[in-house]
């Protein structure tokens, strides 16, 4: 037998969450492939995806990963939610929108993407490592810190890192963040042979990495928050910087393509903000390495801009751009779709 943990996005608004349930399957006779996993169903009335009596919805497997939690011969299966006709994507199925955009032509631009996912670990009502009463010392020593005085939660972070690697996720790196209890992992292009960091692959992987993080933290009774501004006041928020390139941006003189993209992005700021996460205004204040939500600013090396061109991209004259606006609770499918709509139009 094998265990297959089916994962999907629910319909909760304004921020969709993750759900999963496990299906026992007979050991496959031949090598495992996507078709080893049958479509399945669930009760949409319990996930804000259906009302009333006929609430069954379909789970359509689209990607599978070795399951690092249950170990060998078990799998995690990412699914799209469909209506019971087995064809029509459910309204909450934001992956299908991205898939359609790519199929309609955006795939030809050979897009690579990379998400920097920040998050905050919580023990009951306070970030992990914070004192019972009051606050930790002001921000400064925590970012990329080492030692029990300035770091909390590393045990979970290391387990998560190992789990992502065992699942074959394109995890690029991990770092402790500016606020105590806050961390970041990056998933995306890492230049390894045979890997293509296309938007669908990387968005799926980012959702699965989020699921793994929730699942691992569960064992410690720690809650993972993807809130944009988990603690009000002079404490950093949590974002999901999105790194984006087309084939042309990565070629000789690609910097001109990057500049063209920025020009287009400057005209659609509102449309991007609309899908970049709930309560984004609490994070994009103009402080804490952000640009105010009401402004659009782009520039090389500028960590206070909406769009930054990284230093090594400037010096090489080609590469990618970084959209610093998406919040930690943004949906990678929607962020990728919006960037494609603007940049590849
Ligand atoms: P930062 O300096 O902003 O903290 P990180 O090192 O945390 O940057 O993240 C860099 C991200 O850029 C990674 O997710 C990586 O996958 C992504 N990336 C690198 N090269 C490209 C590229 N050519 N196109 C798109 N994304 C890229
Ligand atoms: Mn980063
Ligand atoms: Mn960061
Ligand atoms: Mn960044």
């Amino acid at each position: 037998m094998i265990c297959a943990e089916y994962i999907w996005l629910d319909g909760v608004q304004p921020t969709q969450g993750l759900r999963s349930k496990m299906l026992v399957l007979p050991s496959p006779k031949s090598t495992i492939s996507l078709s080893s996993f049958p479509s399945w169903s669930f009760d949409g009335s319990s996930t804000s995806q259906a009302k009333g009596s006929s609430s069954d919805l379909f789970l359509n497997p689209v990607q599978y990963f070795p399951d690092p939690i249950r170990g060998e011969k078990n799998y995690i299966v990412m699914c799209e939610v469909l209506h019971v006709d087995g064809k029509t994507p459910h309204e909450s199925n934001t992956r299908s929108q991205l898939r359609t955009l790519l199929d309609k032509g955006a795939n030809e631009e050979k897009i690579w993407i990379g998400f920097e996912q920040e998050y905050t670990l919580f023990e009951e009502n306070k970030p992990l490592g914070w004192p019972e009463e009051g606050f930790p010392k002001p921000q400064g020593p925590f970012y990329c810190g080492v030692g029990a005085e300035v770091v909390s939660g590393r045990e979970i972070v290391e387990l998560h890192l190992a789990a992502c690697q065992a699942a074959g996720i394109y995890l690029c790196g991990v770092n402790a963040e500016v606020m105590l209890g806050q961390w970041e992992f990056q998933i995306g292009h890492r230049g390894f042979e045979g890997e293509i960091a296309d938007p669908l692959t990387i968005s799926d992987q980012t959702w699965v990495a989020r699921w793994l993080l929730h699942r691992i933290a569960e064992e410690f009774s720690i809650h993972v928050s993807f809130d944009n501004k988990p603690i009000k006041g002079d404490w950093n928020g949590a974002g999901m910087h999105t790194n984006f390139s087309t084939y042309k941006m990565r070629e000789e003189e690609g910097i001109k393509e990057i500049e063209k993209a920025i020009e287009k992005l400057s005209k659609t700021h509102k449309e991007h903000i609309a899908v970049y996460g709930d309560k984004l205004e609490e994070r994009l204040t103009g402080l804490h390495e952000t640009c105010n939500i009401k402004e659009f600013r782009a520039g090389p090396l500028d960590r206070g801009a909406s769009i930054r061109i990284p230093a090594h991209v400037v010096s090489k004259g080609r590469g990618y751009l970084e959209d610093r606006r998406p919040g930690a609770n943004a949906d990678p499918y929607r962020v990728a779709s919006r960037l494609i709509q603007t940049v590849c139009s």
Side-chain angles (χ1 to χ4, degrees), residues 211-260:
W211 186 89
L212 285 169
L213 185 57
H214 280 303
R215 176 64 188 80
I216 288 163
E218 233 179 54
E219 307 274 328
F220 298 82
S221 299
I222 298 296
H223 161 67
V224 182
S225 166
F226 291 105
D227 270 10
N228 280 317
K229 191 77 176 181
I231 304 291
K232 313 282 175 274
D234 199 13
W235 302 95
N236 272 43
M240 190 182 71
H241 295 170
T242 302
N243 302 276
F244 185 95
S245 65
T246 61
Y247 175 70
K248 285 183 187 154
M249 291 180 186
R250 302 189 294 265
E251 291 284 286
E252 198 88 17
E253 310 230 349
I255 196 86
K256 286 187 186 144
E257 284 297 314
I258 293 174
E259 277 155 13
K260 269 194 236 165

Side-chain angles (χ1 to χ4, degrees), residues 111-118 143 170-175 177 184-191 197 202 241-246 249-250 303 308 310 312-313 318-322 324:
I111 295 156
W112 294 350
I113 208 158
F115 296 112
E116 301 168 52
Q117 176 73 68
E118 293 178 341
Y143 171 75
Y170 302 169
L171 189 118
C172 315
V174 157
N175 62 270
E177 269 304 337
E184 168 179 317
F185 60 83
Q186 303 103 36
I187 294 178
H189 172 72
R190 47 185 193 178
I202 297 305
H241 295 170
T242 302
N243 302 276
F244 185 95
S245 65
T246 61
M249 291 180 186
R250 302 189 294 265
R303 286 176 187 266
R308 162 177 158 255
H312 61 97
V313 174
R318 58 173 159 172
Y320 62 96
L321 59 82
E322 178 192 40
R324 300 177 60 79

Side-chain angles (χ1 to χ4, degrees), residues 121-138:
L121 298 172
F122 270 80
E123 192 170 27
E124 289 171 13
N125 295 322
K126 61 178 182 60
L128 188 63
W130 282 42
E132 265 339 301
E133 303 278 328
F135 297 91
K137 58 188 159 200

Side-chain angles (χ1 to χ4, degrees), residues 152-180:
S152 64
R154 199 189 294 275
E155 200 178 354
I156 292 169
V157 170
E158 288 294 320
L159 287 171
H160 179 250
L161 155 64
C164 287
Q165 289 182 324
I169 287 171
Y170 302 169
L171 189 118
C172 315
V174 157
N175 62 270
E177 269 304 337
V178 177
M179 187 179 91
L180 181 62

